[in-house]
Amino acid sequence: MSFKAKSLFLATTLAFTCVASTAAWADPATLKVLGNFTGNKKQVDLVERPFFTQLAKDTGISSQVSYSPMDLVNVKAADALRLLKAGAFDVASVQIGMASRDDPFLEGIDLAGVATNVADQRKVMEAMRDEFDKEVQKRFNAKVLTLWPFGPQILFCKDPIEKLEDFKGKKIRTFTTSMATLVQGLGGSPVTLQYGEVYLALQRGVADCGVTAASAGNGGKWPEVTKYQIPLAVSNAMQGHFINMDTWNQFSPEKQEALLKSFKKMENDMWDLATAIDKDATNCNTGQADCKEHTKYNMTLNPVTPEELAQLKGVVNRNVLPQWAKECNAVIEGCSDRWLSTVGKAMGYGRISGIR
């Protein structure tokens, strides 16, 4: 081959390689985003919607971001992760309690009674994050971008709860499997109700207490039919934003890094918002002067003592963890061991009763 021919061959090969390399990292033309419910106004209007509006500009991706809240496109929360796996959306806001019906390992990030405040829930999230991401990638072909709480899910009760024994015989609205197990461990009867059904259930005696966020209870006017707020977070309603792995792999490593950095900021904003909303809603529910953005009521705040928290941990050990571990291990080999080595280690749970 002549020098001229060799030069032409090398130039052609180099050009082809560059084109192939560029094509390998072509941003998807459109990024279809399934957002949270519009009813969660502060999370959607203050954080999520503005974030996705600015995402392309902030990260330098060329994709056109198409954002649609879940309720406006007729998607049920339980279907979000399934639709993401199927490729119907590229990014989805996911209610993890709902998604855990398809994979019980996911509920391990928010098991009832393990984290009784936002600070502890963040410790749980950080401890489990890597294992959680591995599970989502394996089972749903999706990657974790954010993990954050909707807020402490506390109790609104018609009667005073002076000690944990006062829950005995009470009918309590719950909405996750482990929450129902916790209530049973306290001697109560879990009642499964949709959020919109709880007001009448409390009013008519179908339920004695209801679990929800302080803000959600305020918005649903629960203080009209209950008198006592118990600031014990039986869960924190963990949420997340996940991206389909096929979509993720279309971005270059540099674009992936930019996306992770941007989503991390949204995650932090959601944690800060959860704390702020809970504080203001509690102030308003209990008639405090420092009530700004919720309707003011006159509930009594029942404090939770360290002794009661120790008792609750016993219920988690005896009831919640064994039941969840049994169900999860039946589906996923080594499920409870993965939890113990992450969340258990961070929160002081060394073993699970009855599980070898």
Side-chain angles (χ1 to χ4, degrees):
M1 184 182 292
S2 68
F3 176 77
K4 185 176 180 180
K6 285 182 180 179
S7 299
L8 181 60
F9 173 76
L10 289 172
T12 303
T13 302
L14 181 61
F16 176 80
T17 302
C18 290
V19 170
S21 176
T22 302
W25 305 119
D27 296 353
T30 303
L31 205 64
K32 301 186 296 294
V33 177
L34 180 67
N36 215 302
F37 289 101
T38 55
N40 299 328
K41 285 186 66 63
K42 293 187 184 298
Q43 287 82 3
V44 169
D45 293 346
L46 296 181
V47 180
E48 190 180 74
R49 194 192 305 274
F51 171 83
F52 283 110
T53 299
Q54 292 294 315
L55 182 62
K57 180 180 178 181
D58 290 344
T59 60
I61 63 173
S62 60
S63 308
Q64 181 180 346
V65 180
S66 172
Y67 172 80
S68 303
M70 210 174 290
D71 49 318
L72 297 189
V73 288
N74 234 7
V75 172
K76 296 179 180 178
D79 295 331
L81 200 45
R82 300 170 193 159
L83 290 170
L84 186 67
K85 180 180 180 180
F89 294 92
D90 299 297
V91 176
S93 179
V94 175
Q95 295 186 358
I96 292 170
M98 293 289 188
S100 66
R101 297 175 186 181
D102 293 332
D103 185 340
F105 180 81
L106 303 186
E107 193 179 3
I109 205 168
D110 194 19
L111 285 171
V114 173
T116 55
N117 55 66
V118 172
D120 279 348
Q121 183 59 55
R122 195 152 199 171
K123 285 171 60 178
V124 168
M125 182 273 288
E126 295 291 359
M128 194 178 178
R129 189 181 196 114
D130 288 345
E131 283 296 320
F132 191 96
D133 190 24
K134 289 177 187 175
E135 184 71 15
V136 170
Q137 289 192 38
K138 179 180 178 182
R139 304 269 293 200
F140 298 98
N141 190 42
K143 177 175 179 57
V144 171
L145 294 172
T146 71
L147 291 169
W148 50 276
F150 185 72
Q153 304 296 295
I154 49 89
L155 291 123
F156 289 75
C157 292
K158 299 169 73 172
D159 299 319
I161 302 295
E162 304 294 345
K163 54 189 183 301
L164 291 189
E165 286 78 8
D166 292 340
F167 284 118
K168 190 172 182 179
K170 292 284 191 292
K171 302 182 291 292
I172 303 172
R173 181 259 180 166
T174 62
F175 53 87
T176 70
T177 302
S178 67
M179 202 182 292
T181 304
L182 181 72
V183 165
Q184 289 172 331
L186 291 169
S189 300
V191 181
T192 302
L193 294 167
Q194 295 297 316
Y195 170 78
E197 301 172 328
V198 180
Y199 182 96
L200 284 178
L202 289 165
Q203 185 182 55
R204 296 173 179 176
V206 175
D208 302 303
C209 300
V211 177
T212 194
S215 178
N218 185 285
K221 301 182 180 181
W222 290 16
E224 293 181 354
V225 289
T226 57
K227 295 181 180 179
Y228 301 90
Q229 181 174 315
I230 296 89
L232 173 68
V234 296
S235 83
N236 286 274
M238 287 297 290
Q239 316 280 309
H241 290 88
F242 306 157
I243 186 169
N244 179 282
M245 283 299 296
D246 296 334
T247 302
W248 177 250
N249 289 329
Q250 291 180 55
F251 292 107
S252 69
E254 293 76 19
K255 296 285 183 66
Q256 290 177 353
E257 185 177 348
L259 286 164
L260 288 174
K261 183 178 179 180
S262 190
F263 274 95
K264 186 64 177 177
K265 183 182 183 305
M266 176 167 71
E267 177 179 277
N268 290 335
D269 288 345
M270 287 295 199
W271 281 91
D272 291 344
L273 183 63
T275 300
I277 290 175
D278 178 67
K279 182 179 180 180
D280 186 69
T282 297
N283 286 341
C284 294
N285 290 342
T286 55
Q288 304 301 309
D290 192 15
C291 167
K292 298 175 181 176
E293 298 185 10
H294 295 79
T295 303
K296 184 179 278 192
Y297 292 99
N298 194 32
M299 298 185 76
T300 298
L301 193 67
N302 268 183
V304 181
T305 67
E307 291 76 20
E308 288 172 317
L309 291 176
Q311 275 184 276
L312 187 74
K313 189 169 184 176
V315 176
V316 173
N317 267 318
R318 290 190 305 272
N319 300 85
V320 176
L321 289 180
Q323 182 64 32
W324 170 78
K326 180 180 177 182
E327 293 173 358
C328 195
N329 286 340
V331 178
I332 301 163
E333 185 177 355
C335 174
S336 60
D337 289 339
R338 292 163 67 189
W339 189 89
L340 284 170
S341 67
T342 54
V343 178
K345 185 176 180 180
M347 298 301 293
Y349 290 91
R351 61 183 297 273
I352 297 176
S353 177
I355 304 296
R356 299 187 180 215

